[in-house]
Amino acid sequence: MSKTVRTFLSGASVALGATVAFSGTAQANTELLDQINSYSQDDIAQVNSVFQLSDVSPSDWAFDALRNLVENYNCIVGYPDGTFRGSRPLSRYEFAAGLNACLQQIERMIQSGTGEVTAEDLAALRRLVNEFEAELATLGARVDDLEGRVEFLEDNQFSTTTKLNGEVIFNIGAAFGEDDIDDQVTFSDRVRLNLDTSFTGRDRLRTRLEAGNITAFDDATGVETARLGFDTFTGEDGNDVEIGKLFYRFPVGDNVRAYVGAVGLGLDDMFDVTNPYFDSSGSGALSRFGRFNPIYRGPDGAGAGFNFNLGDKFTVSAAYLAGDGDVNNPAEKNGLFNGSYTAAAQLDFAPSDRIMLSAVYANRYQKSGDINLSGSTGSDWAKRPFMNSVPMTSDNFGLQASWMVSNKLNLAGWVGYTSADVELSGDNRSADIWNWAVNAALLDVGGDGNVLGFIFGQAPKLTGVENSSICDGSSCDDTTYLAELQYRYKLNDNITITPGAYVVFNPNQNDDNDTVVVGSVRTTFSF
């Protein structure tokens, strides 16, 4: 359960109807009960996403509460015409029916071991039960049963401040090509356990424990564009457990959300990468390049950032991050401010609830030995134009867009540009790197929650350098392209199976290189 019960309790009356018509006394008559039964069974349609409701938009004052109830508790319904009709009056009986349905759903989630409540949550829950005692009794929901549910929540909560959620990936994969590619089929795993702690109900301290042995296919193919989007740095360590993330997120007033992190904090944790159906490593693109613009990848791990909402349409974000390997090292050319770093800012613009646009800029310094200008998604030249022995600074620019064309189709894409310079006295070498991608997500193909996805793009490409022998003549003219096709099948709320494949054409910016094909069947368990 990704939200606390307190969020449900504070938003229940808002999400179930913008105006509650309290009658003051229970009208237990047959006609009214028939209306409630009709409301609860015949004239409603279950929705899996708040965006399925045509008359609800992110600018609505009740949007967050409604989205929480729809997406996290699955106990809110709409009308057959795809509307929610949040402005119409709601009787106490109808509210009690909705309350009872949500209580039952919360109980099921607690029984499955994915929920937690605090003492404050339970007190608020008891107040709601007492307030609607007469209506719940009329509907046949015995108050003593509800009291039993509350006692069950008290006895089975994981923690009063911390909730546990996790993700496990089983992957069967292989890379195929000519004889020089190690094309053995592999079976591997990745495990992540998130401990999310809240002290105020609006903040979150995330501690992630992770382990894995998923192969990075760049070793087998010699091509970093062939990497999986969920491979692990601990792949050769045989599932050694480590702290993958440790950061704290908290509000500052009503419009600012701040972040402070010590381990594993990246720009994609703080910025919206504007690729809603493919950005996740556990349920997004199979390829590393297909997840989001490589501009977001760089020295990171520890630092701070914030999001500042400027009304309903604009958000400004900024962050400073230092490399994991540098930040705790007091030696020269290390530390929080003297080692490799990323300083970035982003502007998001949402002209409607179906369109999202963003522009990102990142300034980076990468010290000698740590050069990686492509985020390990492109050619060797794009990653290290001048090998790994010289420090470099870079200016990185990205434009991203996502458009929900209809309830069944989302289109997204990006373009990224990097201008990099050698940071040595008397060395004026520089390089330009470009990448772009487009993708399409077809929703509910073959069943609710399933996604058929296609991604195509140009992996980071070194387009030219100055004052260097690299790319003389036409040696930089070749372009590496990636095409991915996947089908994300939702077996149930906790298990998703994603078979698919992606093809890397002209690997490492060389059309003489053989095409590389990576096949994968990713099974994701979430709890």
Side-chain angles (χ1 to χ4, degrees):
M1 186 165 58
S2 62
K3 301 282 186 181
T4 63
V5 178
R6 186 184 299 109
T7 305
F8 157 70
L9 295 173
S10 63
S13 61
V14 171
L16 287 169
T19 304
V20 179
F22 290 103
S23 60
T25 59
Q27 301 176 7
N29 56 67
T30 303
E31 180 180 354
L32 185 53
L33 288 178
D34 289 341
Q35 283 183 333
I36 294 172
N37 289 331
S38 176
Y39 167 82
S40 303
Q41 299 174 12
D42 300 330
D43 297 330
I44 60 176
Q46 181 65 49
V47 293
N48 299 313
S49 171
V50 70
F51 293 106
Q52 292 177 247
L53 301 170
S54 61
D55 58 346
V56 175
S57 67
S59 61
D60 292 337
W61 62 279
F63 178 80
D64 289 337
L66 179 60
R67 181 172 61 179
N68 181 42
L69 291 175
V70 171
E71 297 180 358
N72 294 295
Y73 300 99
N74 197 32
C75 61
I76 295 299
V77 295
Y79 288 89
D81 61 357
T83 63
F84 182 64
R85 305 179 193 176
S87 61
R88 80 168 183 84
L90 182 72
S91 73
R92 290 176 61 91
Y93 284 107
E94 290 172 323
F95 183 87
L99 171 62
N100 189 50
C102 286
L103 285 171
Q104 291 175 338
Q105 179 65 10
I106 291 172
E107 180 182 359
R108 286 192 291 268
M109 297 172 74
I110 294 298
Q111 288 175 331
S112 66
T114 60
E116 58 86 15
V117 291
T118 67
E120 292 83 0
D121 297 334
L122 296 172
L125 184 60
R126 290 185 185 277
R127 286 196 298 271
L128 277 175
V129 170
N130 292 334
E131 172 68 22
F132 290 90
E133 179 177 355
E135 289 80 8
L136 290 170
T138 303
L139 290 168
R142 294 176 59 84
V143 175
D144 55 352
D145 289 340
L146 293 177
E147 292 288 343
R149 295 180 199 174
V150 174
E151 293 176 2
F152 175 85
L153 298 180
E154 290 177 326
D155 294 338
N156 290 273
Q157 58 186 337
F158 169 71
S159 168
T160 59
T161 60
T162 303
K163 60 183 177 183
L164 170 68
N165 59 78
E167 178 185 84
V168 176
I169 293 176
F170 287 170
N171 184 66
I172 298 176
F176 304 94
E178 296 300 319
D179 294 337
D180 59 339
I181 293 182
D182 183 5
D183 59 355
Q184 298 300 310
V185 176
T186 62
F187 178 68
S188 51
D189 71 88
R190 190 189 75 184
V191 179
R192 286 179 170 175
L193 299 177
N194 295 321
L195 296 169
D196 289 334
T197 303
S198 179
F199 305 100
T200 67
R202 300 177 62 199
D203 61 340
R204 183 178 74 182
L205 173 65
R206 166 157 288 187
T207 305
R208 172 180 289 173
L209 303 177
E210 65 181 11
N213 62 358
I214 294 179
T215 302
F217 279 120
D218 58 323
D219 292 335
T221 63
V223 180
E224 287 204 323
T225 313
R227 284 187 60 175
L228 291 164
F230 49 94
D231 61 21
T232 59
F233 292 110
T234 58
E236 297 180 357
D237 298 329
N239 278 303
D240 289 347
V241 178
E242 63 179 19
I243 296 179
K245 287 189 182 295
L246 180 60
F247 67 86
Y248 183 52
R249 185 186 75 191
F250 57 96
V252 180
D254 294 330
N255 298 319
V256 177
R257 173 182 287 177
Y259 301 80
V260 177
V263 177
L265 183 63
L267 289 182
D268 58 304
D269 292 311
M270 297 177 283
F271 294 5
D272 189 335
V273 297
T274 322
N275 197 28
Y277 288 94
F278 298 103
D279 63 338
S280 169
S281 64
S283 59
L286 294 172
S287 62
R288 179 178 174 87
F289 172 66
R291 288 183 56 200
F292 47 76
N293 195 333
I295 298 301
Y296 290 100
R297 300 185 183 275
D300 56 27
F306 68 86
N307 312 124
F308 181 24
N309 293 326
L310 301 174
D312 297 329
K313 299 184 183 298
F314 291 94
T315 301
V316 174
S317 301
Y320 176 87
L321 297 170
D324 264 331
D326 298 339
V327 68
N328 63 335
N329 187 348
E332 186 179 1
K333 295 298 181 182
N334 288 280
L336 183 60
F337 300 109
N338 202 32
S340 298
Y341 73 83
T342 297
Q346 177 164 309
L347 175 65
D348 298 329
F349 174 50
S352 74
D353 60 344
R354 290 181 175 269
I355 297 176
M356 175 71 171
L357 306 172
S358 63
V360 61
Y361 166 74
N363 176 265
R364 292 191 169 96
Y365 170 76
Q366 296 177 356
K367 66 181 184 180
S368 176
D370 289 343
I371 307 302
N372 188 346
L373 299 177
S374 68
S376 297
T377 63
S379 69
D380 293 338
W381 284 344
K383 180 179 183 179
R384 294 168 180 158
F386 309 111
M387 306 303 291
N388 199 31
S389 58
V390 293
M392 300 192 72
T393 58
S394 62
D395 295 303
N396 305 268
F397 304 88
L399 295 174
Q400 299 75 224
S402 178
W403 177 27
M404 194 73 180
V405 181
S406 69
N407 292 335
K408 301 294 184 180
L409 173 63
N410 189 86
L411 301 177
W414 70 76
V415 60
Y417 167 66
T418 295
S419 175
D421 299 284
V422 175
E423 195 68 20
L424 286 176
S425 178
D427 192 332
N428 59 354
R429 289 178 293 175
S430 61
D432 296 326
I433 300 164
W434 287 88
N435 83 91
W436 58 264
V438 294
N439 62 63
L442 296 172
L443 311 183
D444 299 331
V445 177
D448 291 342
N450 300 337
V451 179
L452 178 64
F454 176 74
I455 303 168
F456 182 78
Q458 173 191 296
K461 173 186 177 180
L462 182 67
T463 59
V465 296
E466 294 184 4
N467 303 308
S468 173
S469 60
I470 299 176
C471 293
D472 283 345
S474 61
S475 59
C476 278
D477 289 346
D478 296 338
T479 303
T480 299
Y481 295 103
L482 178 142
E484 176 177 331
L485 180 66
Q486 62 158 264
Y487 179 63
R488 200 178 312 159
Y489 177 69
K490 186 176 181 180
L491 188 62
N492 55 46
D493 290 340
N494 302 102
I495 303 175
T496 302
I497 302 174
T498 308
Y502 52 94
V503 183
V504 181
F505 303 96
N506 309 324
N508 283 325
Q509 285 189 235
N510 190 340
D511 61 5
D512 291 331
N513 291 336
D514 295 317
T515 299
V516 174
V517 180
V518 176
S520 174
V521 180
R522 178 186 64 201
T523 302
T524 305
F525 306 86
S526 58
F527 53 91

